[in-house]
């Protein structure tokens, strides 16, 4: 998104016009559009709510054009990938810069060569597994909206590129399907690629007692887990809050790692700059496609926080409070695909935390974890504020209203207006529960 703004400022063109003049026209890509340039919307692949529901949904549109807001055919995307195999669209200097190991310029675990992420400039991975272990550079970029998914994989030294796009599914599977095509194409040329891999051998061994001190609550921006290390050399993982599932257990081994019973997952607890991280590594075959690899920091220990008692009390008083989302556009897919609600639950988490956010004051909780890759992705400040006597919750710019302030729907003739701010209107059902309601809406309305 920032790159889009820079392009527009420097070129004096809209992003759509720049894209057309400097990339699409020179490459002859006639089936690539933004929502601003697409005229025939019937060209778009249909999207659906579920596999069983055959009613097509409205067009999937992203207004952030630089961040996934481009429509393309698979052949156009593959041709674009082919243009990145050599000079023409870009200089070799630029191609080399894009394929540089930018991820190593930041904080990253040492043993991460096979991880699904190894960022370049524009690439999610600049030496993707399994090609890397056979000396073949594979450049990958994938992405997802709620309904559209896609992946581009490029092998510059073989002048090969593949694009897989799907309505439904997941970009991870699109990438694996693309890699399968490339592996088969290379095999027809007599080029063999080692697809599988295994964790290094290690036997159960006595564990240093000091590792028990690394037990604790660990988190990412999307998950919180209890990590318990016992003196008998067993590490167990369990969800926070407890969802009733059996803890996963791992046994200490001679190389300093913890392994599961099938030796398919390796975990390590590592201290880096005063912080403690849970490292994970695994190789997994996906039937009919190829293998996936993970070698990254998954969780960070949530260290004790000395929150003032009045701060903890203020947040504890909101325990179990529910909020409804206000500023999601009426045509948004979120109403169909996710619950537009938020609830504040603090009791399962350590004092001073809401999920993995630290309680900074009585109204603000700020992100704590600093995980590379996607471990801190979408982390944001959580803020509670009051306006006109109504309490609101702000999560990364998404505004939610305390349900206790909602009106009860009138059981009879009534009308509702969406106000100038465009926010949603919510009601308690009250005595109208179980009754049928007839709603008349403008043509561009939604209920």
């Amino acid at each position: 998104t920032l790159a889009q703004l820079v392009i527009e400022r420097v070129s004096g063109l809209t992003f759509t016009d720049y894209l057309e003049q400097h990339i699409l026209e020179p490459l002859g890509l006639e089936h690539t559009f933004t929502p601003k340039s697409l005229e025939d919307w019937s060209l778009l692949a249909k999207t659906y709510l579920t596999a069983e529901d055959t009613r097509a949904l409205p067009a999937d549109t992203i207004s952030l054009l630089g961040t996934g807001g481009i429509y393309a055919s698979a052949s156009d995307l593959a041709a674009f990938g082919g243009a990145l195999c050599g000079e023409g669209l870009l200089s070799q200097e630029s191609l080399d810069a894009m394929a540089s190991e930018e991820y190593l310029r930041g904080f990253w675990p040492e043993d991460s060569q096979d991880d699904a992420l190894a960022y370049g400039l524009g690439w999610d991975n600049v030496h993707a597994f399994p090609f890397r272990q056979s000396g073949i550079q594979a450049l990958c970029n994938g992405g997802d909206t709620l309904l559209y998914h896609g992946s581009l994989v490029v092998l510059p030294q073989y002048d090969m590129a593949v694009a897989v796009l799907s309505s439904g599914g997941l970009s991870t599977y699109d990438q694996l399907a693309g890699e399968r095509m490339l592996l088969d194409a290379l095999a027809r040329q007599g080029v063999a690629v080692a697809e599988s891999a295994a964790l290094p051998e290690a036997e159960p061994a006595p564990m240093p007692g000091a590792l028990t001190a690394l037990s604790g609550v660990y988190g990412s921006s999307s998950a919180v887990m209890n990590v318990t290390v016992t003196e008998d050399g067993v590490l167990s993982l369990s969800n926070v809050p407890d969802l009733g599932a059996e803890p996963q257990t791992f046994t200490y081994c001679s190389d300093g790692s913890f392994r599961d019973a099938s030796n398919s997952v390796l975990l390590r607890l590592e201290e880096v700059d005063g912080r403690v991280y849970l490292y994970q590594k695994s190789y997994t075959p996906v039937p009919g496609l190829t293998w996936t690899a993970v070698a990254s920091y998954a969780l960070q220990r949530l260290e004790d926080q000395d929150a003032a008692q009045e701060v903890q009390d203020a947040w504890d008083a909101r325990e179990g409070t529910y909020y409804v989302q206000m500023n999601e556009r009426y045509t948004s897919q979120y109403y169909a695909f996710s619950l537009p609600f938020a609830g504040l639950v603090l009791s399962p988490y350590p004092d001073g935390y809401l999920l993995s956010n630290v309680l900074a004051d009585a109204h603000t909780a700020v992100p704590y974890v600093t995980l590379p890759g996607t471990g801190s992705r979408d982390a944001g400040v959580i803020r509670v504020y009051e306006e006109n006597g109504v309490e609101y919750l702000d999560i990364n710019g998404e505004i939610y209203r305390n349900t206790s302030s909602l009106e009860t729907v009138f059981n009879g003739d009534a009308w509702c207006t969406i106000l100038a701010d465009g926010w949603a209107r919510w009601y308690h059902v009250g005595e109208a529960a179980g009754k049928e309601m007839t709603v008349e809406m403008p043509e561009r309305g939604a209920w």
Side-chain angles (χ1 to χ4, degrees), residues 184-366:
D184 293 346
L186 288 173
R188 287 196 294 271
Q189 297 182 21
V191 180
V193 177
E195 293 190 46
S196 62
L199 297 175
E201 292 295 327
E203 297 295 327
M207 184 192 76
L211 288 180
T212 58
L214 300 183
S215 297
V217 180
Y218 286 63
S220 68
S221 60
S222 60
V224 178
M225 302 195 78
N226 274 315
V227 176
T228 304
V229 182
T230 53
E231 293 180 354
D232 58 355
V234 174
L235 182 153
S236 62
L237 286 176
S238 58
N239 292 309
V240 177
D242 184 2
L243 303 176
E246 285 293 319
Q248 297 173 272
T249 57
F250 303 82
T251 302
Y252 186 79
C253 291
S254 55
D255 64 347
S257 70
F258 294 86
R259 309 290 185 97
D260 65 343
S262 62
N263 196 37
S264 60
V265 179
L266 174 157
L267 302 179
R268 281 200 305 268
L269 296 175
E270 300 183 357
E271 294 187 73
V272 183
D273 296 332
R275 295 167 291 186
V276 183
Y277 295 91
L278 176 74
Y279 169 86
Q280 63 175 357
K281 184 174 184 178
S282 64
Y283 297 95
T284 307
V286 179
L289 299 176
T290 182
W291 288 60
T292 64
V294 173
S296 62
Y297 289 136
L299 300 168
Q300 178 183 342
R301 188 167 69 176
L302 306 182
E303 304 298 344
D304 293 341
Q305 299 296 320
D306 189 19
Q309 190 60 50
E310 60 268 22
V311 171
Q312 186 70 51
D313 290 345
W315 283 95
D316 286 344
R318 302 183 182 108
E319 177 80 20
T321 302
Y322 286 92
Y323 302 79
V324 289
Q325 191 164 2
M326 303 299 295
N327 63 337
E328 194 66 39
R329 184 174 167 82
Y330 68 89
T331 54
S332 172
Q333 295 167 357
Y334 280 105
Y335 291 114
F337 285 92
S338 64
L339 294 175
F341 309 107
L344 286 185
V345 181
L346 291 97
S347 54
Y349 306 106
D351 285 348
Y353 284 95
L354 170 60
L355 299 171
S356 58
N357 279 36
V358 171
L359 307 182
D361 59 41
H363 300 91
T364 312
V366 299

Side-chain angles (χ1 to χ4, degrees), residues 8 15 28 33 49 54 78 115 119 123 137 180 216 264 282 295 320 325 378 386 408 414 442:
E8 292 180 334
F15 184 71
F33 310 94
L49 185 62
T54 59
D115 190 56
Y119 295 115
W123 296 113
Q137 184 177 48
R180 178 75 269 154
S264 60
S282 64
Q325 191 164 2
D378 297 330
E386 190 170 300
T408 299

Side-chain angles (χ1 to χ4, degrees), residues 135-152:
I136 299 173
Q137 184 177 48
L139 307 171
C140 302
N141 187 283
D144 305 81
T145 66
L146 288 179
L147 295 164
Y148 283 144
H149 312 272
S151 179
L152 174 66

Side-chain angles (χ1 to χ4, degrees), residues 117-183:
L117 294 177
Y119 295 115
L121 294 175
W123 296 113
D124 293 334
N125 201 318
V126 295
H127 52 64
F129 179 88
F131 301 93
R132 184 199 69 81
Q133 60 184 359
S134 295
I136 299 173
Q137 184 177 48
L139 307 171
C140 302
N141 187 283
D144 305 81
T145 66
L146 288 179
L147 295 164
Y148 283 144
H149 312 272
S151 179
L152 174 66
V153 185
V154 177
L155 307 182
Q157 68 202 80
Y158 288 95
D159 197 29
M160 298 171 69
V162 64
V164 178
L165 307 177
S166 62
S167 167
L170 198 64
S171 63
T172 301
Y173 294 116
D174 292 346
Q175 178 177 323
L176 293 174
E179 290 175 349
R180 178 75 269 154
M181 297 176 199
L182 290 171
L183 291 166

Side-chain angles (χ1 to χ4, degrees), residues 89-122:
L89 179 64
L90 296 176
S91 67
Q92 190 59 49
E93 181 182 10
S94 291
L95 293 169
D96 291 342
M98 286 181 66
S100 62
E101 295 180 320
E102 284 293 311
Y103 70 102
L104 293 179
R105 294 163 60 89
F107 165 55
W108 214 264
E110 290 184 6
D111 184 7
S112 61
Q113 296 89 338
D114 287 339
D115 190 56
L117 294 177
Y119 295 115
L121 294 175

